[in-house]
């Protein structure tokens, strides 16, 4: 499967999803348990802002969550706002853990 992102494990619980070709831009997940993640931050390099990379990171995160048959919550304000208005994630988004 061709992915637009790569996985970088920071430690046993922290995972960065990094967009291919955009090494400085990432979305960071904390694994809560085997089937639950919390999105803790989203970062887009200042030189690349305004190009839709935040949306691409959100979609990469959703792909990762689906592939792992997991659910997610978000302390990251950017992701929390998008997810709370995204009807397509109602079965996998947990507003509060």
């Amino acid at each position: 499967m061709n992915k637009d992102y790569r996985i970088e494990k920071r430690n046993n619980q922290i995972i960065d999803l990094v967009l291919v070709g955009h090494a400085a831009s990432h979305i960071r997940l904390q694994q809560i348990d085997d089937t639950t993640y919390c999105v803790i931050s989203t970062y887009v390099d200042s030189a690349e802002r305004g190009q839709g990379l935040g949306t691409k990171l959100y979609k990469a995160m959703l792909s990762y969550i689906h592939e792992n048959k997991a659910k997610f919550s978000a302390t990251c304000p950017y992701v929390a706002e998008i997810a709370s208005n995204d009807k397509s994630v109602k079965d996998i988004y947990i507003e509060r853990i």
Side-chain angles (χ1 to χ4, degrees), residues 67-87:
E67 288 170 14
N68 287 281
K69 296 176 178 56
K71 294 186 177 192
F72 75 99
S73 68
T75 56
C76 168
Y78 174 77
V79 171
E81 183 176 342
I82 293 173
S84 65
N85 294 307
D86 183 354
K87 292 178 183 175

Side-chain angles (χ1 to χ4, degrees), residues 5-71:
Y5 65 92
R6 71 179 184 281
I7 300 164
E8 294 182 0
K9 290 198 172 198
R10 296 288 169 210
N11 60 42
N12 289 338
Q13 294 181 327
I14 304 296
I15 300 163
D16 284 349
L17 303 179
V18 180
L19 293 176
V20 172
H22 304 279
S25 300
H26 66 270
I27 192 163
R28 184 163 288 166
L29 308 170
Q30 179 178 8
Q31 188 168 6
I32 306 301
D33 59 37
D34 289 342
T35 60
T36 311
Y37 293 84
C38 181
V39 181
I40 56 177
S41 66
T42 303
Y43 177 77
V44 175
D45 186 82
S46 60
E48 299 184 311
R49 292 184 184 154
Q51 300 177 31
L53 296 182
T55 299
K56 289 180 181 178
L57 286 164
Y58 177 76
K59 289 179 181 179
M61 179 273 301
L62 290 180
S63 177
Y64 182 82
I65 294 296
H66 285 295
E67 288 170 14
N68 287 281
K69 296 176 178 56
K71 294 186 177 192

Side-chain angles (χ1 to χ4, degrees), residues 79-97:
V79 171
E81 183 176 342
I82 293 173
S84 65
N85 294 307
D86 183 354
K87 292 178 183 175
S88 73
V89 300
K90 66 180 170 122
D91 294 334
I92 59 170
Y93 177 59
I94 305 164
E95 287 203 43
R96 301 221 192 284
I97 288 186

